[in-house]
Amino acid sequence: MWLSDALPPMGCAASRRNVILGLATTPLLACGFTPSLAPGGSADALRNQVLLDEPRDPEEFVLFSALEDRLGQPVNPVYALSYLLNVRETNAGITPDNVITRGVLTGRAEFLLTDRATGLTLTAGEVTTFTSYGTTGTTAETTFARDDAFRRLTQILADELIARLLASSPDWLA
């Protein structure tokens, strides 16, 4: 017998899908699944506890803001996060007439998380990603597209950096 045949008749297909989705997520609840940043989650101790290095330039400020959005503003910071942002710009799309039609931003963020009380390194590494943008519009459109690509790049780097912190947190969270 199919599972859908065993379900009671419902008014709409969406209700049937909700029941099936509920049954599919039950094993996650049974195994103690908790989102990392949720209250009581494995990385809840990071919220408002990480002091970020002050940004040294406008580009690092964008990364700083994205990280602070995820981690919160430190109240009594236990950890210190140092980072170094490196962004390289290259041309990707070039027509036979040597007209550039696409720009690519490649970003790398190296990071180091330390315990502020002991100075011990808890985790370190680097994350990398890239974004691209079109250059075929006006100068203003191209500038806007490049700035938007940079914001997307730093957001992705911040997300990846936070994911790396969360993945390593069971090793160093007390």
Side-chain angles (χ1 to χ4, degrees):
M1 176 193 318
W2 290 95
L3 176 61
S4 61
D5 294 337
L7 294 173
M10 296 184 191
C12 68
S15 296
R16 188 176 298 250
R17 276 191 298 261
N18 289 342
V19 169
I20 292 171
L21 182 62
L23 292 173
T25 58
T26 301
L28 291 176
L29 297 174
C31 74
F33 173 76
T34 304
S36 301
L37 288 172
S42 64
D44 190 35
L46 290 179
R47 177 129 351 255
N48 302 324
Q49 297 297 314
V50 180
L51 180 65
L52 300 171
D53 277 355
E54 292 295 321
R56 295 175 286 276
D57 55 41
E59 288 80 18
E60 280 191 2
F61 181 77
V62 178
L63 180 63
F64 173 89
S65 297
L67 289 169
E68 193 173 67
D69 283 347
R70 301 291 190 283
L71 296 170
Q73 294 183 348
V75 178
N76 293 314
V78 176
Y79 311 105
L81 181 63
S82 299
Y83 56 88
L84 178 62
L85 177 64
N86 184 358
V87 177
R88 190 171 53 99
E89 187 169 6
T90 56
N91 300 322
I94 302 175
T95 67
D97 300 330
N98 287 329
V99 175
I100 299 167
T101 60
R102 265 212 69 91
V104 176
L105 297 176
T106 305
R108 183 178 80 229
E110 298 173 35
F111 66 93
L112 175 71
L113 184 74
T114 57
D115 184 309
R116 292 187 70 218
T118 64
L120 291 175
T121 297
L122 302 173
T123 189
E126 74 175 41
V127 292
T128 59
T129 193
F130 71 94
T131 60
S132 65
Y133 61 97
T135 62
T136 57
T138 65
T139 302
E141 290 170 336
T142 299
T143 300
F144 179 79
R146 186 199 179 284
D147 290 348
D148 181 64
F150 182 80
R151 279 189 296 277
R152 287 183 284 122
L153 177 80
T154 55
Q155 190 67 55
I156 295 167
L157 288 171
D159 290 344
E160 288 184 9
L161 197 153
I162 297 297
R164 293 280 298 274
L165 292 179
L166 296 178
S168 68
S169 66
D171 297 336
W172 47 265
L173 277 177

